[in-house]
Amino acid sequence: MSVVIRDAAAIIAALEDPALVPPPRPGAGSTLQLRAAMARFSSPADHPVRRAAVVDAIERIDPDAVARAATTLTCMLLDGEEVDAVADIAAIVPTRALASCLPVADGRLLGDFDVVAAVAAMVGVIGHGGPVTPEADDAVSNLVARHGVEGASALYQNHDATGALITTRLMAQASGRTPASAVPRTKRLAALPHGAAVGEEVILEIGAAGLPFGAGPHRCPGERLAEALANAVLEAISSAGYLPDLAGARYDSDRRPTRLPLRRTAQSGSPRLRTA
């Protein structure tokens, strides 16, 4: 059984309550060690210092530089009459654009290192609950060596969420409907009584509550970067003359696209998608 909270005020209170903590995932290996070190999954005692380090790292990144990188990458990937906005754009551009603007902690150039594959492996274990594998541990070790815990954390936060921000806004702008939430919910565990038994899962429906970037001490610190990146991608798609094919779209249970074909119109300069 889980306790589900949908009211915005109650969600904010829950995010500020030390009785509710991120669910732990103990285990060995570099992937789970990174998870344990991330501010997002930290205990209330460790969270403020770790979050401050992530905020400091993010504030050193120029949103305009990330937007320019996103524009360049999107234009490169818009190749052919049809492109899948999910697999060909959203799964690639946010990670590569942000990584290109992160400092390299050990002084090495990325070279042939596939940052998208590495981040996807990290997210598969930490974000999607997949099994720890030697390949994922190697990928995470490389990410942390290059970008530090804070940089790897930023890439983790950015990968799924910003990709979904792009595709949900594309869908909304093409259909005229309110966009689905890029991040519909987050989870906590009752470490002390809080309207739930100790050890019971608490699900916070932040999307339905109108808190897409969270709230309070757990509000997403990369909101400004995510907005700049998403807007750049949407503008590049529109300027290149691509429009979503709603008939070919597929969705998950939260109405976020899992496939969204973009088709090139007869000429570029078609009516632009709104990016506000």
Side-chain angles (χ1 to χ4, degrees):
M1 292 291 292
S2 299
V3 174
V4 180
I5 302 178
R6 295 184 174 87
D7 175 72
I11 288 174
I12 293 170
L15 289 171
E16 295 175 344
D17 193 329
L20 298 178
V21 299
R25 187 178 174 186
S30 57
T31 307
L32 295 184
Q33 288 173 359
L34 173 62
R35 184 189 189 277
M38 286 180 170
R40 179 187 180 101
F41 300 106
S42 295
S43 68
D46 293 328
H47 180 263
V49 171
R50 291 178 176 178
R51 177 181 170 85
V54 173
V55 170
D56 180 67
I58 288 174
E59 288 181 346
R60 295 173 185 270
I61 302 169
D62 180 5
D64 291 337
V66 174
R68 288 193 296 271
T71 297
T72 300
L73 288 166
T74 303
C75 292
M76 289 172 56
L77 295 170
L78 289 170
D79 183 23
E81 295 304 311
E82 179 181 318
V83 175
D84 181 5
V86 179
D88 300 328
I89 303 294
I92 297 172
V93 173
T95 292
R96 286 180 58 185
L98 178 59
S100 72
C101 296
L102 286 173
V104 180
D106 66 355
R108 289 181 292 173
L109 297 176
L110 291 180
D112 294 330
F113 178 64
D114 188 342
V115 67
V116 173
V119 173
M122 169 178 61
V123 171
V125 175
I126 298 176
H128 301 167
V132 178
T133 63
E135 293 77 15
D137 277 346
D138 286 346
V140 168
S141 294
N142 277 317
L143 282 171
V144 173
R146 287 165 168 78
H147 301 301
V149 170
E150 291 77 21
S153 297
L155 288 166
Y156 170 83
Q157 296 273 97
N158 172 67
H159 182 73
D160 277 358
T162 306
L165 187 65
I166 292 166
T167 57
T168 53
R169 288 188 178 176
L170 273 170
M171 279 296 310
Q173 291 166 352
S175 66
R177 300 174 181 172
T178 301
S181 178
V183 182
R185 64 189 56 84
T186 188
K187 296 180 181 179
R188 291 292 185 270
L189 196 70
L192 298 170
H194 181 97
V198 174
E200 193 167 18
E201 183 181 67
V202 179
I203 299 174
L204 308 177
E205 296 284 350
I206 58 175
L211 302 169
F213 289 95
H218 293 277
R219 186 177 180 88
C220 175
E223 179 177 352
R224 192 161 68 109
L225 285 178
E227 291 283 0
L229 201 160
N231 286 342
V233 172
L234 295 177
E235 178 66 20
I237 290 171
S238 176
S239 295
Y242 284 81
L243 292 174
D245 174 12
L246 300 185
R250 301 290 181 269
Y251 314 88
D252 65 13
S253 59
D254 292 301
R255 299 298 294 171
R256 296 175 299 182
T258 57
R259 180 177 185 271
L260 181 57
L262 299 173
R263 298 191 187 281
R264 186 159 54 191
T265 58
Q267 57 183 353
S268 61
S270 299
R272 289 172 178 260
L273 293 170
R274 297 187 304 275
T275 57

